[in-house]
Amino acid sequence: MEEKAKGKSGLLSDRVAERIMSMIADGNLSPGERLPGERQLAEKMGVSRVSVRAALQSLKAQGFLEAVQGGGTRILAAASDMTSPLGELAKVKEQNLHDLAEIRALLEVWAARRAAERATDEQIEELGQALEKQEQQKSSATKAKASQEFNFHYMVGKASGSAVYMHIMDVIRDIIDESIEFHQYDLFQEPAEDGLALSQHKDVLEAIKSRDGLAAKVAMRSHLSWVLDSYENERERLNSETQSAE
């Protein structure tokens, strides 16, 4: 039977659940990450595994956590069921990918500034490694190339230290990944464009390394404005082809 907490604070498992939620809200745990095992959590919080297990079951029932095949628990985004409808919208109309790029420009410019102000040394090193992997893939035309570009943007978001931002990213990550694939295979087909995208990412990283929030904001805005301009150019090209065919 579960221990009772002293006083009016209720079940001890409720307090354990609150502490786990605080770790998520503080950005110490991100969507998709596995939680430490029951034993580790129990030792860290100074409670029994019974209380930890009850807390985890409660958070799973509320939709914050899910069991992982093979054992363990991971964090879910609060609205992960939105991903599929967003993906369908993008497939129906290219304009929706353009709209997503505009929304990303607003969100990711904010995240880049925050990352410059709050990123840990370890996170900056991880960003550098993500950029190196992207550079290794720049001459290929594979899904791995698009995945590496997405990974860099995701790591910038993680370095922002915002749990709210990371949950938003987790909700739309599949559609962002799909939009980046569109960029790689349809929008940016020239080798020079690959080099330009990589150079822009390097500008973002250098600003974050320098802890210059304004420079990081400007660099990310420049990068995503270039993406938006490319959408406009592609739209004009398609309209021109349609008019010529009529």
Side-chain angles (χ1 to χ4, degrees), residues 31-32 59 79-80 95 99 106-108 113 133 159-160 165 181 185 191-192 220 227 231 242:
L59 292 175
S80 57
Q95 173 64 41
D99 291 350
L106 296 172
L107 292 172
E108 295 195 47
R113 177 185 63 78
K133 290 179 181 178
S160 75
Y165 182 83
E181 282 192 47
Y185 291 101
M220 184 63 84
V227 173
Y231 272 107
T242 301

Side-chain angles (χ1 to χ4, degrees), residues 156-175:
V156 169
K158 191 171 182 180
S160 75
S162 170
V164 171
Y165 182 83
M166 289 309 293
H167 275 274
I168 291 172
M169 282 292 283
D170 198 57
V171 168
I172 63 176
R173 67 180 298 161
D174 287 347
I175 181 60

Side-chain angles (χ1 to χ4, degrees), residues 190-206:
E190 298 298 325
E193 292 173 324
D194 277 343
L196 184 54
L198 186 62
S199 175
Q200 291 168 347
H201 281 185
K202 287 179 178 178
D203 289 342
V204 173
L205 177 57
E206 286 305 313

Side-chain angles (χ1 to χ4, degrees), residues 34-238:
R34 286 197 184 205
L35 285 174
E38 289 180 6
R39 179 178 297 175
Q40 290 173 279
L41 286 171
E43 290 176 353
K44 182 175 183 178
M45 299 182 181
V47 298
S48 72
R49 291 180 67 178
V50 173
S51 293
V52 169
R53 191 173 300 122
L56 295 179
Q57 288 300 329
S58 174
L59 292 175
K60 287 175 187 175
Q62 294 175 64
F64 292 109
L65 306 175
E66 71 171 353
V68 179
Q69 187 173 3
T73 308
R74 72 172 181 175
I75 301 161
L76 285 171
S80 57
D81 58 335
M82 289 175 61
T83 302
S84 180
L86 280 171
E88 291 306 312
L89 280 174
K91 291 173 185 175
V92 169
K93 194 174 181 182
E94 184 187 313
Q95 173 64 41
N96 293 328
L97 285 175
H98 179 276
D99 291 350
L100 176 66
E102 285 190 326
I103 293 167
R104 281 182 60 199
L106 296 172
L107 292 172
E108 295 195 47
V109 163
W110 178 88
R113 177 185 63 78
R114 276 282 294 264
E117 297 168 354
R118 301 193 179 193
T120 65
D121 291 341
E122 182 181 4
Q123 287 170 333
I124 290 175
E125 185 177 344
E126 288 174 348
L127 274 168
Q129 291 169 354
L131 206 55
E132 287 176 8
K133 290 179 181 178
Q134 185 186 344
E135 189 160 16
Q136 291 167 5
Q137 295 285 342
K138 73 176 183 179
S139 60
S140 65
T142 65
K143 187 175 177 63
K145 178 180 173 183
S147 295
Q148 291 303 334
E149 179 164 348
F150 170 81
N151 188 49
F152 177 80
H153 284 270
Y154 189 81
M155 294 302 299
V156 169
K158 191 171 182 180
S160 75
S162 170
V164 171
Y165 182 83
M166 289 309 293
H167 275 274
I168 291 172
M169 282 292 283
D170 198 57
V171 168
I172 63 176
R173 67 180 298 161
D174 287 347
I175 181 60
I176 289 179
D177 199 22
E178 187 172 328
S179 73
I180 289 175
E181 282 192 47
F182 171 73
H183 299 166
Q184 298 290 352
Y185 291 101
D186 296 286
L187 205 58
F188 307 136
Q189 297 185 9
E190 298 298 325
E193 292 173 324
D194 277 343
L196 184 54
L198 186 62
S199 175
Q200 291 168 347
H201 281 185
K202 287 179 178 178
D203 289 342
V204 173
L205 177 57
E206 286 305 313
I208 293 173
K209 277 184 179 180
S210 300
R211 307 292 183 182
D212 189 333
L214 178 58
K217 181 178 175 180
V218 169
M220 184 63 84
R221 181 182 290 127
S222 176
H223 172 54
L224 293 174
S225 292
W226 171 66
V227 173
L228 284 168
D229 287 344
S230 298
Y231 272 107
E232 293 297 336
N233 293 337
E234 178 68 4
R235 181 182 300 164
E236 289 177 7
R237 183 186 69 80
L238 291 173

